[in-house]
Amino acid sequence: MHERSSTGELVKSLKGELDRYSVGEKLPSSRALVERFRVSPVTVARALAQLAAEGLVVTRPGAGTFRARPLMAPPPAGDTSWQEVALSADAATEVVPRAVDASGVLVTLAAPPPGVVEFNGGYLHPTLQPEQAMAAALARAGRRPGAWGRPPMDGLPELRDWFARGIGAGVTAADVLITAGGQSALTTALRALAPPGAPVLVESPTYPGMLAIARASGLRPVPVPGDPQGVRPELLAAAFAATGARVFVTQPLFQNPTGTVLTPERRAEVLRIVHAAGAFVVEDDFARRLVHDDAGPLPPPLAADDPDGVVVHVCSLTKVTSPSLRVGALVARGPVLERLRAIHVVDNFFVPRPLQEAALELVGSPAWSRHLRSISGELRSRRDAMTAALRLGLPQLALPHVPSGGYHLWLRLPDGTDESALVSAALRAGVAVAPGRPYFSAEPPAGHIRLSFAGVAGAAEIAEGVRRLQTACEEIAG
Ligand SMILES: Cc1ncc(COP(=O)(O)O)c(C=O)c1O
């Protein structure tokens, strides 16, 4: 600390007297500066390095330090307002204007201000991430032969095989493409399966990041409502009939945001309806490894019940590890795989090999199953802590479904509540919550908020966050 401040003071003093020297003239030697300013040689070296970095002096090893030629004045600020016209002008020729809007995604990605309880996070709190196991895996990965070379374009065969085994039912490594997490896989799938202007059926409510992808690709999301058993088949069939859509995007397991699981009866019906429409299902299986330890046996992925290649399956390691372990997979059968592969390689080339190697090391390590077990217990106890605190302190917020997997509770606000006013009041009270509006692709039936219990440090922070939410509810009610 002291060293840093004395460097700063010396820089200031030297700047103050720089005008005494003409351009190219030599400054006093380092030793002279040490004696004159009574500072250490390290301080002098750092101060001269800073002046050099600012372009005020040049240092020639063995010769000394000289005053530099003054830098040219910075160019005047340009006028970028023409871009507003250019960025909007192409909309005139598009069937469905592309709308590139990241706000729905950033709500759960951006870090809240310090001191604010983060109930809007989209990933595990650092204390829940397998940091040591990931660090060890990355270190081992970096030493693997060829780790920094070009990987096979579809991904490392062993990693593709690991994802294929996760689905079973005859899926093999040849059906798998490695992607940079789920977001990249969803982007590839939507761009591959629907041309700009096409309708795409989506659950209502659903993950705003997927809606953002659809809109940025010029697609038209058409909402299909669900209930506690999952998407409603009769409405799905009606939506296909009304729109002629060729794609339906769904999260059958621990849906984001509602947490519901598609029931066994509906699974078969949904697959039948989509097949009859000659369409694809994009199955976003993002939460399979976020199962709580009190859940019953999990249904297999839809892709496991699909010999005919109707399902394009998406999964990712980020949610159960870290947002930065951006490794996921796209799984598909039939000619569509070639289309997916082409779009993926054009957009991304490939996922960095060290990250793929690290993912392989991680899932093959003894720490992996320990981590999955511990997350399963942690998520259940946090879910229970949040549910109990809400039922006690905020019974007016309806919780139609308590999930047995995932990170979130989805709460319906009392009729007449101003959702955005509540979200702002919550932030003022010190708790960040995700507003429900971005989860709906059309007008929502009611106000909602989504609360994550995974992005906070533990039960005490959950209790504090709920108290702050109570304060916000009181503020907007009064
Ligand atoms: C339902 C769902 N799918 C996919 C993703 C994308 O996650 P990632 O790209 O980190 O794998 C998210 C992230 O929030 C999500 O909630």
Side-chain angles (χ1 to χ4, degrees):
M1 194 58 163
H2 177 253
E3 184 61 58
R4 217 178 295 150
S5 68
S6 52
T7 304
E9 279 157 25
L10 182 57
V11 166
K12 217 161 121 200
S13 309
L14 291 175
K15 275 184 183 171
E17 55 188 51
L18 213 54
D19 277 345
R20 292 189 204 155
Y21 304 90
S22 50
V23 169
E25 191 179 343
K26 188 172 178 189
L27 268 61
S29 69
S30 295
R31 183 182 302 181
L33 294 174
V34 166
E35 280 166 15
R36 194 174 131 214
F37 288 97
R38 296 184 183 285
V39 290
S40 72
V42 175
T43 303
V44 168
R46 285 187 179 154
L48 291 178
Q50 188 169 327
L51 292 178
E54 290 180 31
L56 298 173
V57 301
V58 280
T59 307
R60 292 191 205 110
T65 303
F66 303 83
R67 180 161 180 206
R69 190 169 300 286
L71 293 174
M72 286 200 301
D79 176 4
T80 57
S81 43
W82 66 272
Q83 292 188 0
E84 284 184 49
V85 180
L87 291 171
S88 311
D90 65 344
T93 58
E94 290 182 80
V95 196
V96 178
R98 285 179 307 131
V100 185
D101 178 4
S103 53
V105 183
L106 292 175
V107 167
T108 54
L109 278 183
V116 168
V117 174
E118 189 174 359
F119 278 171
N120 62 342
Y123 293 95
L124 292 176
H125 189 266
T127 52
L128 295 179
Q129 296 177 15
E131 279 182 347
Q132 279 187 4
M134 288 191 295
L138 198 56
R140 288 197 300 274
R143 292 194 294 270
R144 282 183 163 209
W148 294 92
R150 204 169 33 190
M153 292 295 136
D154 292 352
L156 296 180
E158 304 90 322
L159 191 57
R160 294 168 74 200
D161 184 54
W162 182 81
F163 277 112
R165 278 186 278 118
I167 299 178
V171 172
T172 70
D175 306 320
V176 178
L177 302 178
I178 300 300
T179 66
Q183 193 72 4
S184 157
L186 286 171
T187 306
T188 299
L190 287 183
R191 295 222 301 115
L193 300 178
V200 48
L201 306 188
V202 299
E203 292 168 313
S204 180
T206 191
Y207 166 51
M210 187 274 295
L211 294 176
I213 294 169
R215 293 187 183 118
S217 309
L219 305 177
R220 192 158 45 86
V222 177
V224 185
D227 61 21
Q229 281 91 52
V231 70
R232 287 174 51 188
E234 79 285 9
L235 295 181
L236 182 65
F240 273 120
T243 62
R246 290 280 178 267
V247 184
F248 168 49
V249 188
T250 179
Q251 304 157 43
L253 190 68
F254 310 134
Q255 203 253 3
N256 178 8
T258 57
T260 53
V261 178
L262 189 66
T263 58
E265 306 74 46
R266 285 199 187 172
R267 285 168 64 87
E269 219 179 334
V270 164
L271 280 176
R272 190 186 48 72
I273 291 168
V274 181
H275 205 8
F280 287 97
V281 179
V282 176
E283 174 185 38
D284 183 359
D285 199 23
F286 79 112
R288 183 160 294 275
R289 297 186 176 86
L290 306 178
V291 58
H292 303 167
D293 67 0
D294 60 352
L298 290 189
L302 285 182
D305 293 349
D306 168 46
D308 300 327
V310 172
V311 178
V312 171
H313 175 93
V314 168
C315 58
S316 165
L317 286 176
T318 59
K319 293 286 176 186
V320 73
T321 58
S322 146
S324 283
L325 188 56
R326 303 206 63 69
V327 173
L330 259 172
V331 185
R333 292 195 248 201
V336 70
L337 188 61
E338 200 43 53
R339 174 83 63 90
L340 294 166
R341 177 181 285 130
I343 296 218
H344 186 253
V345 78
V346 167
D347 280 359
N348 307 291
F349 283 15
F350 51 78
V351 177
R353 182 163 189 154
L355 212 53
Q356 294 194 49
E357 301 275 8
L360 250 185
E361 286 281 355
L362 180 67
V363 301
S365 73
W368 181 242
S369 50
R370 279 202 303 276
H371 171 65
L372 293 182
R373 269 198 307 280
S374 112
I375 285 300
S376 209
E378 271 292 336
L379 290 179
R380 193 254 314 131
S381 77
R382 283 152 180 255
R383 177 206 65 196
D384 288 347
M386 186 178 263
T387 309
L390 286 168
R391 285 195 169 135
L392 198 66
L394 284 164
Q396 70 273 34
L397 304 188
L399 178 57
H401 178 71
V402 178
S404 49
Y407 294 166
H408 315 112
L409 298 182
W410 177 242
L411 296 149
R412 185 182 166 125
L413 305 180
D415 288 346
T417 310
D418 181 338
E419 180 185 294
S420 50
L422 175 59
V423 172
S424 307
L427 199 54
R428 281 196 300 278
V431 57
V433 305
R437 183 66 187 91
Y439 293 79
F440 293 93
S441 57
E443 292 76 4
H448 289 82
I449 51 173
R450 195 197 68 165
L451 304 185
S452 164
F453 42 82
V456 289
E461 211 180 329
I462 289 176
E464 177 57 25
V466 172
R467 264 194 298 279
R468 293 179 185 184
L469 189 55
Q470 245 175 305
T471 308
C473 285
E474 281 158 19
E475 182 196 317
I476 64 157

